[in-house]
Amino acid sequence: MIQSDLQEYLISIRRYLHQYPELSLQEFETTKFIQKQLQDTGIHVRKTSLKTGVFAQLQGKSPGPTIALRADIDALPIEEQTGLSYASKVKGVMHACGHDFHTAALIGAAYLLKKNQNKLKGNIRFIFQPAEEIGGGAEQVIDDGQLEGVEAIIGLHNKPELPVGTIGLKAGPVMASVDRFRITVKGKGSHAAIPQNGKDPILASSQMVTALHSIVSRNISPLESAVVSVTRITGGTTWNVIPGEVTLEGTTRTFNDRIREEIKGSVQTIVENTVRAYSGEAIIDWFPGPPPVINDTETIETIYQAAQQQGLNTVDPEPTMGGEDFAFYQQQIPGAFVFFGTNGNEDWHHPAFTIDESSLIKASYFLYESALSLLQGFQLKQDKKRELNNEPEWK
Ligand code: NI
């Protein structure tokens, strides 16, 4: 396949995925489609106990370490409003975060790596991960053993704000930890005109919302980044009755595991003490999501060189308080998560979200070159170590 054919092939793959998006953990047809592309390319698909997601391995010509490349494959419950000729054919479901782009880019990288299998000193693991949007996908992949034997992992996310040919690379934290909380405030309902006979959970909740906002400004160092957002208040049925219960929901974000624990502690302190002042009770349910995405310095340096060689323009991206379950992989092995310029009209999760498809083949080449560079880096390190310790070669 010549380059222009590869570009056309990748665009056709991406458009197919775009027309038939599937929600998290329901990526059945997507899974079959990816398997078929890999098998047609001659790449071995690994066994899995997961119902969706595809895991594959390309064995290099010579033995060496294994590097993983990861794409997420799920779509969102959003009604598409792009007006594109290849818009979603599934009502209320859309690839509005560009995971169709990630999937197609990784299929392209797999094709390039297979074609250059002779150059490979080591192996490539391909991870087409389900359920990124609802969280939990990465943990399932790890529990399924798909990361075993892997030395390092690379993932990318499209970035609508960056032009095509520009890539955002940064060592250290780039995306935040994500925790969700639900606070049930229990008081005692009463007639609106006889408040002295009740314990008003609406007033207690209102004080809580205000007090929770003091965590970032008063408890956390101004040099750290953190967010506490209360995003939902549910309670009451009408205008003249004080309800017995109110529910608050929200999320907390930060880049630092210690701060993450501190915020959780502060939420508990504020909720418990506020509700006590109103003689009520509160139950806090805490749903921890992914930790922060923290990029490994050495891995970033290696793929920075690969990006430069490929002629990509590299920029230092601003970290985002959004989260990514790629972080779970980075708790196991060194990894790098990078932002790939796609020159979109709208931000992620917008119904009119688009991608400039000329970026697609660049993303495939970037993953391909990065994987080669990482393998080479590991090989050099291993050679040095072997020389020093008189150890045998990779087996
Ligand atoms: Ni996404």
Side-chain angles (χ1 to χ4, degrees), residues 70 72 74 76 96-99 102 132-133 156-158 175 323-324 337 348-349:
R70 176 272 204 171
D72 40 13
D74 53 336
L76 287 156
C97 199
H99 297 186
H102 306 160
E132 189 280 324
E133 295 292 358
L156 64 76
H157 206 290
N158 69 83
M175 293 185 84
E324 238 292 345
F337 193 69
W348 301 325
H349 298 207

Side-chain angles (χ1 to χ4, degrees), residues 113 303 306-307 309-310 364-374:
L113 285 157
I303 62 179
Q309 271 168 24
Q310 199 193 326
S364 293
Y365 271 99
F366 167 74
L367 289 170
Y368 160 70
E369 297 282 358
S370 297
L372 285 186
S373 301
L374 266 187

Side-chain angles (χ1 to χ4, degrees), residues 93 248 290 356 361 389:
V93 184
L248 302 178
D356 184 333
I361 194 164
N389 301 333

